[in-house]
Amino acid sequence: MVRVPRVLLVNAVLAAIVWLVWARVWGWGYFTRLEENWPVALTMVFGSLVGGGTSEGGGAIAFPVMTKVLTVPPDQARIFTFAIQSIGMTAASLSILLCRVPIERRVVLYGSMAGMLGVVLSVTMVAPHVPLKLVRVLFTMLLVALAIALLVQLRQRGYRRNFSVPVWTGRERNLVMATGFAGGVLSGVAGVGENCVMFLLLVLLFRVSEKVATPTTVVMMTLVSIAAFLTHVFVVRDFSGFVVDYWITAAPVVAVGAPLGAWICTRLTPLTIRGVLFVLIFAELVSTLLLVPFTPAIAVGSVVTLTLFTIVCLLLIRQETYAQPVPAHTDGADRTGAGSGDPVDARSARAGAESGTKEDLQDVT
């Protein structure tokens, strides 16, 4: 008898629940909406994979496609981003938790509390007054700075990746909460951001492995997205019209794609995850340069912002407080290859202390 891997069973159950609810509520009318709005569903096939499997969030795909290709007003695209992430990333997070994928639970707890507060304040008080094209440019510059820092970090050797924040005091808790709040404010105006900002802190400063940092930020972005979506529904009351139709159309798609993306992430090496991020960030940069109208003021602001973000990122990776040195008895087996988080010699790394850690990061079947 063939044993079905737990992750596939969990993902199938989560998708089936969404499909059954959708079938019960909308019935055959769903296919009418799908016929009318299939470009949105197709967009979210890719958006959900990115949202569940990386630190960028599905909105990083959905927002530029909807605003520039499907000509959806930016404020409506932002609402759709929160609405669809509340379904897809919830499914991805449940898959992560039920399959016992390692996450940094302290970061989720404190970062999410601050992030939810930040996003609620941002949705109600900040977002209505901020030009969205400016926000998108600033968000792109943040991602580019992250990519530069990750490239620089690839050259670092002689330390191991952490599988949790190695030191946890009031200082670390306050850093996580401040970063979570800042990410929540950014998410409120851009639709995404909480996961990217926290990923930056975890990977660059705390030296946490991408295989732990990514699912951690997915769970955090889920909670922030739900808080933002409920704020739009019950406080701002602007979740209406065609955005609702888009949400109804795409929800069954992301219920499959986001958990699948989360599972794919568990099967990739940290270096591969970085490679995927580089490709996505490059695509984000190109789409911003091609599709966002740059005024001289925005162009200057972009250069200044990129410079400042890059300096901050480089300062983070220069901090050695959380870098775990290679134990002498491992003979370099635990040493990170070019800062990728993978051992230089993968065969020798299977032995010794790393073997237990490596098993902890494998998908539960």
Side-chain angles (χ1 to χ4, degrees), residues 114-128 181 184-185 188-189 231:
M116 288 188 287
L117 174 61
V119 80
V120 170
L121 294 176
S122 182
V123 167
T124 55
M125 301 174 61
V126 179
F181 182 81
V185 172
V189 294
T231 302

Side-chain angles (χ1 to χ4, degrees), residues 156-228:
Q156 292 183 323
R157 295 175 180 270
Y159 70 90
R160 292 185 301 177
R161 282 291 179 200
N162 301 313
F163 300 104
S164 62
V165 179
V167 178
W168 188 264
T169 65
R171 177 178 182 270
E172 286 72 33
R173 184 191 64 235
N174 292 337
L175 276 173
V176 167
M177 293 183 68
T179 303
F181 182 81
V185 172
L186 177 59
S187 296
V189 294
V192 289
E194 175 74 29
N195 40 359
C196 299
V197 174
M198 191 58 69
F199 184 85
L200 181 150
L201 182 72
L202 289 174
V203 173
L204 299 186
L205 179 62
F206 293 145
R207 304 297 204 277
V208 174
S209 170
E210 290 88 340
K211 289 177 75 70
V212 176
T214 298
T216 298
T217 59
V218 168
V219 175
M220 288 184 60
M221 192 62 210
T222 300
L223 298 173
V224 170
S225 295
I226 292 174

Side-chain angles (χ1 to χ4, degrees), residues 11 33 44 93 100 124-125 128 135 140 155 170 185 279-280 300 307 312 315 322 331:
N11 291 353
R33 287 186 170 91
M44 291 316 303
S93 294
R100 298 194 293 273
T124 55
M125 301 174 61
V135 175
T140 300
R155 300 179 60 85
V185 172
V279 171
L280 293 175
V300 172
T307 302
V312 171
L315 287 175
Y322 307 98
D331 296 326

Side-chain angles (χ1 to χ4, degrees), residues 3-345:
R3 183 186 178 190
V4 179
R6 174 186 294 179
V7 64
L8 298 182
L9 181 61
V10 168
N11 291 353
V13 171
L14 292 173
I17 291 173
V18 174
W19 294 344
L20 289 173
V21 171
W22 253 238
R24 180 69 179 84
V25 176
W26 287 283
W28 291 105
Y30 169 79
F31 293 99
T32 301
R33 287 186 170 91
L34 180 61
E35 183 179 1
E36 296 173 350
N37 304 310
W38 64 266
V40 176
L42 180 61
T43 299
M44 291 316 303
V45 170
F46 302 100
S48 59
L49 289 172
V50 170
T54 74
S55 62
E56 281 208 58
I61 301 295
F63 188 89
V65 172
M66 295 186 71
T67 55
K68 299 305 180 181
V69 179
L70 304 181
T71 65
V72 176
D75 57 336
Q76 299 298 303
R78 179 172 55 202
I79 298 170
F80 171 79
T81 294
F82 288 129
I84 204 63
Q85 286 180 166
S86 69
I87 298 293
M89 298 191 78
T90 295
S93 294
L94 289 174
S95 176
I96 288 169
L97 296 174
L98 292 173
C99 294
R100 298 194 293 273
V101 175
I103 61 174
E104 230 304 353
R105 295 179 182 271
R106 297 168 298 186
V107 173
V108 171
L109 174 62
Y110 291 103
S112 297
M113 288 193 302
M116 288 188 287
L117 174 61
V119 80
V120 170
L121 294 176
S122 182
V123 167
T124 55
M125 301 174 61
V126 179
H129 308 290
V130 179
L132 207 53
K133 65 180 180 181
L134 175 61
V135 175
R136 291 303 302 180
V137 170
L138 297 181
F139 178 69
T140 300
M141 296 303 106
L142 171 63
L143 292 179
V144 174
L146 173 62
I148 294 173
L150 290 175
L151 284 171
V152 173
Q153 199 179 51
L154 286 174
R155 300 179 60 85
Q156 292 183 323
R157 295 175 180 270
Y159 70 90
R160 292 185 301 177
R161 282 291 179 200
N162 301 313
F163 300 104
S164 62
V165 179
V167 178
W168 188 264
T169 65
R171 177 178 182 270
E172 286 72 33
R173 184 191 64 235
N174 292 337
L175 276 173
V176 167
M177 293 183 68
T179 303
F181 182 81
V185 172
L186 177 59
S187 296
V189 294
V192 289
E194 175 74 29
N195 40 359
C196 299
V197 174
M198 191 58 69
F199 184 85
L200 181 150
L201 182 72
L202 289 174
V203 173
L204 299 186
L205 179 62
F206 293 145
R207 304 297 204 277
V208 174
S209 170
E210 290 88 340
K211 289 177 75 70
V212 176
T214 298
T216 298
T217 59
V218 168
V219 175
M220 288 184 60
M221 192 62 210
T222 300
L223 298 173
V224 170
S225 295
I226 292 174
F229 179 46
L230 294 178
T231 302
H232 277 290
V233 173
F234 296 109
V235 179
V236 184
R237 298 180 182 275
D238 55 357
F239 180 61
S240 59
F242 65 88
V243 176
V244 177
D245 287 335
Y246 287 173
W247 179 67
I248 294 172
T249 301
V253 174
V254 300
V256 177
L260 181 59
W263 174 72
I264 291 174
C265 177
T266 67
R267 314 306 297 178
L268 302 178
T269 66
L271 185 59
T272 303
I273 294 173
R274 288 197 181 202
V276 172
L277 282 176
F278 289 147
V279 171
L280 293 175
I281 291 171
F282 179 75
E284 170 76 13
L285 176 62
V286 171
S287 66
T288 297
L289 293 176
L290 293 178
L291 302 177
V292 174
F294 276 76
T295 64
I298 291 180
V300 172
S302 300
V303 174
V304 172
T305 301
L306 176 59
T307 302
L308 292 176
F309 282 158
T310 302
I311 291 174
V312 171
C313 291
L314 294 179
L315 287 175
L316 289 178
I317 66 175
R318 288 178 62 87
Q319 299 298 315
E320 299 293 334
T321 305
Y322 307 98
Q324 299 291 317
V326 177
H329 67 274
T330 60
D331 296 326
D334 284 326
R335 184 159 45 88
T336 54
S340 68
D342 279 335
V344 173
D345 188 343

